[in-house]
Amino acid sequence: MFKTTSHDFRTVGRGAKCEYLFDFTNLYQEDVHIAAVRSSCGCTTPTVTQNTLKTHETASVVARFNTSTFIGQKSAIVTVVIDRPYYAEVQLKVSGFIRTDVTFDPPEVAFGEIASGAETQQDIVITHTGNRDWQITDVRSFCDDLEVQLSAPQKSPGMVRYRMRVKVLGSMPEGDVHERLTLISNDVDFPTTEMSINGRIRPSLSVSPSAVSFGTAEPGATVEKRLVIRGDEPFAIKDIVCADQRFEFTTPSGSKKLHFVTLRFNAGANEDRVGQEIQINTDLDGGKSVKCIVTGVVSG
């Protein structure tokens, strides 16, 4: 269910906001319920974004590294307790080094929600205390959709201060943004320091719900569900594609920002487990489309 079970924050500044999302998906037909999450160390506070997941839904265990109250090398085991559909425990490992001589103001680059294709920027003040010869030699990222500018250092006795401007480019993909910058310095003992970048690029086209379950249908029965498709600008639905011929759709006409689609599943005579991807194609630039997953059981 979990994409990954460990994360190293590496070296971070005192007071920096450090969170990592352990994403997990319900792979079962039954609901999955998270009964509790607990940490072996106070250096890490775990929470869960959603306690109950229906089939194919995704949520996250959020591990927050408490850099304001702890220093030095720290690690923790986060235990996730699942009590439905059966009892299980999953252990997630978190580690990192919290240094006291580097601080960020604000403690993270938090862009909030950004429209798809838009650009925005934020300034961060980086302060190092204890050595006025400390120098940032490079700033690196694995993300090509970020642009970073670093000012000349401002030096005073026992302190060096930089102003860093971080810009999100219009090419950033839609969805949640969880990136980090690596500051490279001339510090022999701690040559790298990490900083978090978070935000969300709001999709210009979306479908709700993105995962639909029609539950259990008797053979020969017909089940209806409604999908809501939203766009930032008016659009028309060209067609709806599904490989399973038991699905039918009532498609609205015209061009508008909000469409309601009726999904109808005609159960056959045989018992079956159903799992299908629905693709909704529009007339937006590039033939933009959205997808949702429909699941259920034919039994009776």
Side-chain angles (χ1 to χ4, degrees):
M1 292 173 59
F2 284 82
K3 294 181 179 179
T4 183
T5 56
S6 66
H7 179 72
D8 184 2
F9 287 105
R10 299 198 285 193
T11 302
V12 297
R14 181 73 182 271
K17 186 172 181 180
C18 298
E19 290 184 347
Y20 183 77
L21 276 63
F22 290 96
D23 295 332
F24 63 99
T25 302
N26 179 5
L27 306 177
Y28 308 100
Q29 291 292 336
E30 301 85 358
D31 289 357
V32 166
H33 181 256
I34 307 299
V37 288
R38 60 177 184 266
S39 175
S40 64
C41 175
C43 64
T44 303
T45 301
T47 56
V48 61
T49 59
Q50 186 175 330
N51 295 98
T52 302
L53 278 73
K54 295 187 178 300
T55 182
H56 294 293
E57 283 189 329
T58 297
S60 304
V61 172
V62 182
R64 178 166 57 86
F65 211 35
N66 297 320
T67 62
S68 297
T69 51
F70 288 83
I71 61 173
Q73 183 67 44
K74 295 295 176 183
S75 63
I77 299 296
V78 174
T79 301
V80 183
V81 181
I82 302 170
D83 62 353
R84 294 201 305 268
Y86 56 85
Y87 185 86
E89 291 188 1
V90 180
Q91 292 190 331
L92 312 173
K93 184 178 180 181
V94 175
S95 61
F97 185 89
I98 305 166
R99 58 187 303 177
T100 60
D101 55 348
V102 175
T103 58
F104 301 110
D105 184 21
E108 70 167 342
V109 183
F111 286 110
E113 188 169 85
I114 309 167
S116 179
E119 295 187 350
T120 188
Q121 61 189 30
Q122 185 174 337
D123 287 349
I124 307 295
V125 176
I126 305 166
T127 303
H128 178 276
T129 57
N131 179 8
R132 71 186 306 272
D133 294 324
W134 185 79
Q135 181 181 357
I136 297 177
T137 59
D138 196 8
V139 181
R140 298 175 186 173
S141 171
F142 289 109
C143 181
D144 294 331
D145 305 301
L146 293 172
E147 185 177 276
V148 179
Q149 294 179 338
L150 197 65
S151 69
Q154 298 176 347
K155 297 185 178 183
S156 58
M159 181 182 294
V160 181
R161 182 164 290 165
Y162 286 88
R163 183 175 295 275
M164 181 173 66
R165 175 164 294 175
V166 182
K167 182 177 182 180
V168 172
L169 302 180
S171 56
M172 181 70 78
E174 295 176 349
D176 292 331
V177 177
H178 298 291
E179 300 290 342
R180 62 182 178 183
L181 295 177
T182 301
L183 308 183
I184 311 297
S185 73
N186 61 350
D187 189 328
V188 176
D189 295 325
F190 302 103
T192 63
T193 306
E194 308 293 320
M195 185 172 195
S196 298
I197 299 177
N198 294 299
R200 182 175 184 271
I201 308 301
R202 185 180 69 249
S204 58
L205 184 69
S206 64
V207 57
S208 178
S210 58
V212 180
S213 173
F214 60 76
T216 301
E218 293 185 355
T222 298
V223 182
E224 287 190 357
K225 294 290 182 179
R226 189 174 76 165
L227 303 176
V228 181
I229 298 90
R230 293 182 174 87
D232 285 347
E233 57 185 81
F235 66 95
I237 296 176
K238 294 174 62 178
D239 61 356
I240 301 177
V241 179
C242 179
D244 192 331
Q245 299 301 313
R246 292 174 293 181
F247 285 91
E248 298 176 353
F249 306 93
T250 301
T251 306
S253 60
S255 182
K256 49 193 172 184
K257 291 185 178 181
L258 184 67
H259 291 271
F260 298 96
V261 171
T262 300
L263 177 155
R264 186 175 297 106
F265 175 73
N266 301 306
N270 300 322
E271 295 189 348
D272 192 14
R273 286 186 176 270
V274 180
Q276 285 293 325
E277 181 181 82
I278 308 297
Q279 179 170 312
I280 302 161
N281 299 318
T282 74
D283 64 350
L284 290 172
D285 290 344
K288 192 158 190 152
S289 64
V290 286
K291 297 178 181 180
C292 71
I293 300 295
V294 182
T295 59
V297 177
V298 179
S299 179

